[in-house]
Amino acid sequence: MALTLGVIGIVLAVAFIVLAIGLQLEERAGIRTSLRRVGGYEIQDTRDKELLESLGKRTVVPALRNLGDLGRRVTPVGYLDSLRKKLLRAGQADQTALDRFIVLKIAGVVLAPIAFLMIILVLDIGGLMGLLLAGTAAAALALGPDIVLDRQVESRVYAMRIALPEILDLLVISVEAGLGFEQALDRVVDNVPGPLSDEFARMLGEVRAGSSRSAAMRAMESRVDVPEVRSFILAMLQADTF
């Protein structure tokens, strides 16, 4: 009887502690939500500023950054440059995307020989079939991130090529209706969603932030790297010059 009462007391105490922690966390979450809604509110405490960020930004992003820094030290410079260009063409321009890819690549390279040995030794698959299966699994782990990224680039380039005629038609109609070039591009961005419209929106944002139109269009050309879009941008640059 005494033992039962003791167990019940411990359970109630744990439940009370959990409830108190939950109420405290809920109160802090409510405060953070209220602070987010107050426009122009400046938070003086550095810890409060950090708590306004999501859990992913406070934990996952720094961890990816640290692992990415470690991976860049052991990755050839030429590969990093080509990887940045591929991620840019895939629409992943932020540094987190580069760190995440490097972490996945390193994990795949490390796990590839382990998977090979496990299939050969642990699963006891012998002969040519075992070697083929083990080699395929190891290659998939080592080369999988590159293959997926290449497919993303190809899919994005294809989407841009498909959307370009419709964008050109709407752009011509808008300019003939009396809109300026930037206003016509705004209409294109609003009415034709897709990766090419996203690039035009970024180009317009750079122009409105103070960049020249030619510099913003050349930056877009380097990001997109699609021959059809490059021809269009070259024609716009010539029209803007002459």
Side-chain angles (χ1 to χ4, degrees), residues 55-212:
L55 182 61
K57 289 185 178 180
R58 288 187 279 123
T59 57
V60 178
V61 173
L64 285 177
R65 188 181 298 114
N66 293 333
L67 291 175
D69 292 338
L70 178 62
R72 279 192 291 273
R73 295 191 185 99
V74 298
T75 305
V77 178
Y79 178 75
L80 283 178
D81 292 337
S82 63
L83 179 58
R84 286 191 184 94
K85 292 179 181 179
K86 282 186 178 181
L87 289 171
L88 199 61
R89 295 185 66 192
Q92 305 177 32
D94 57 329
Q95 183 65 32
T96 306
L98 178 63
D99 295 336
R100 183 169 58 249
F101 185 90
I102 291 176
V103 170
L104 289 175
K105 184 68 177 178
I106 293 176
V109 172
V110 171
L111 292 176
I114 298 176
F116 185 88
L117 293 176
M118 286 187 63
I119 292 175
I120 294 296
L121 301 177
V122 177
L123 299 182
D124 195 17
I125 301 177
L128 182 60
M129 182 60 67
L131 290 176
L132 289 176
L133 182 60
T136 302
L141 288 171
L143 303 177
D146 292 292
I147 295 174
V148 172
L149 181 59
D150 290 338
R151 292 298 301 271
Q152 290 178 350
V153 172
E154 293 175 0
S155 176
R156 196 165 187 264
V157 169
Y158 178 76
M160 289 184 180
R161 286 174 172 168
I162 292 298
L164 183 59
E166 183 180 359
I167 286 178
L168 291 180
D169 288 341
L170 182 57
L171 191 61
V172 170
I173 293 172
S174 300
V175 172
E176 289 179 348
L179 294 179
F181 181 69
E182 294 182 7
Q183 288 77 16
L185 281 180
D186 274 329
R187 176 164 293 185
V188 166
V189 170
D190 292 336
N191 291 278
V192 187
L196 187 54
S197 294
D198 294 340
E199 291 295 338
F200 277 123
R202 180 174 177 179
M203 186 266 289
L204 287 174
E206 292 175 355
V207 172
R208 289 161 183 167
S211 178
S212 65

Side-chain angles (χ1 to χ4, degrees), residues 10-32:
I10 293 174
V11 171
L12 291 176
V14 172
F16 178 77
I17 294 173
V18 171
L19 179 60
I21 295 174
L23 291 175
Q24 186 177 9
L25 292 176
E26 184 178 359
E27 181 180 1
R28 290 183 179 179
I31 294 174
R32 291 197 296 269

